[in-house]
Amino acid sequence: MQAELVKLTSKGQLTLPKEYRDKLCLDKGSHLSVTVKGDTLMLKKVYELKPLSDNDPIWDMVGIFDDRSRAAFVSMEHDSCVANGELG
């Protein structure tokens, strides 16, 4: 993607080009984190974390591990599935 020129309003607002909003699936109400490095302003999409549902399979595993080292692996696998939208 080529750099786009945007202009700030008197209230310090700017409009992100539609091409960028579409590429990142940004809609009204989407959140972005804002950081500054030198004279560079960086925006990063913030993904919403949804609380676990009552029927999430992770609840079936609570307390079943005698060996806690395996529990960390299962937790990482579960977090990966949630991040990928595979669990609801």
Side-chain angles (χ1 to χ4, degrees), residues 52-65 74 78:
L52 296 177
S53 66
D54 288 341
N55 62 347
D56 191 296
I58 196 72
W59 296 122
D60 296 334
M61 303 176 110
V62 173
I64 66 169
F65 292 101
V74 171
H78 178 267

Side-chain angles (χ1 to χ4, degrees), residues 4 28 37 66-67 79 84:
E4 297 281 338
K28 178 180 178 181
K37 281 190 177 179
D66 292 330
D67 177 6
D79 291 349
N84 292 327

